[in-house]
Amino acid sequence: DIVLTQSPATLSVSPGERVTLSCRASQSVGSNLAWYQQKPGQAPRLLISGASTRATDIAARFSGSGSGTDFTLTISSLQSEDFAVYYCQHYNGWPLFGPGTKVNIK
Amino acid sequence: QVQLVQSGAEVKKPGASVKVSCKASGYTFIDHYIHWVRQAPGQGLEWMGIINTGGGSTNYAQKIQGRVTLRRDTSTSTVYMELSSLRSEDTAVYYCARDATRDAYNADWYFDLWGRGTLVTVSS
């Protein structure tokens, strides 16, 4: 089975900083990778699909890259509303989520 | 308004069953598969299963196969998730989520619209 690893587990960041989150798959998932944002008490929200395609109404400061086994979600300038947990999910077979990266206020 | 509206919180005893509903509105119900995803308190996301809202075919995660059943009612645009033989480790928020692909015959297996979640608590 494919395993997804996200790093770091927690990240403390100041508003305005650039943030890079990593997602690594134990075997290739091609470009079949999505990223979600989840705030406390809310459902996840789709940010990125196909490794790099922003979902509808997602701000341009969010970008995704990578293919195969290594993927990155970048937030170019962190806003206050971006403090949340970020999950990657592969869909190259049965869908599986990574353990998440929590982005905290520094 | 495009949305998925879920039923309210449930408290169940170990061994019982729970049924959670997910009513779709604002789009053509049979154009999108529906998935269920759960999240235990303070934990990550776990995919549970998928239903073809048109034909009714289903697939379930191996971990809970045999205990979970998904059904749909096209007349009310509602999907139901029933989980039986409940255990304490089934305590979680259960989400329905729409498959991102608008295709009655294929799913893309990622999720572009989510319900707000239903908390199911299993406790004696």
Side-chain angles (χ1 to χ4, degrees), chain B residues 46-97:
Chain B
E46 179 186 16
W47 178 81
M48 298 176 65
I50 181 176
I51 185 165
N52 177 326
T53 50
S57 61
T58 55
N59 276 295
Y60 303 118
Q62 188 173 10
K63 179 181 176 182
I64 54 171
Q65 188 147 17
R67 292 202 298 134
V68 63
T69 303
L70 300 182
R71 295 189 178 90
R72 94 282 186 238
D73 181 342
T74 56
S75 68
T76 60
S77 300
T78 302
V79 173
Y80 298 93
M81 185 282 298
E82 186 166 17
L83 188 62
S84 62
S85 303
L86 289 168
R87 312 158 183 166
S88 58
E89 52 264 40
D90 293 319
T91 293
V93 175
Y94 288 76
Y95 295 101
C96 59

Side-chain angles (χ1 to χ4, degrees), chain A residues 36 38 42-43 49 87 89 91, chain B residues 39 95 108-111 115:
Chain A
Y36 300 86
Q38 187 179 34
Q42 296 186 17
S49 63
Y87 293 96
Q89 177 234 328
Y91 46 100
Chain B
Q39 186 171 36
Y95 295 101
D108 255 347
W109 299 83
Y110 65 93
F111 324 114

Side-chain angles (χ1 to χ4, degrees), chain A residues 85-99:
Chain A
V85 179
Y86 292 84
Y87 293 96
C88 60
Q89 177 234 328
H90 88 78
Y91 46 100
N92 193 55
W94 300 116
L96 178 73
F97 293 89

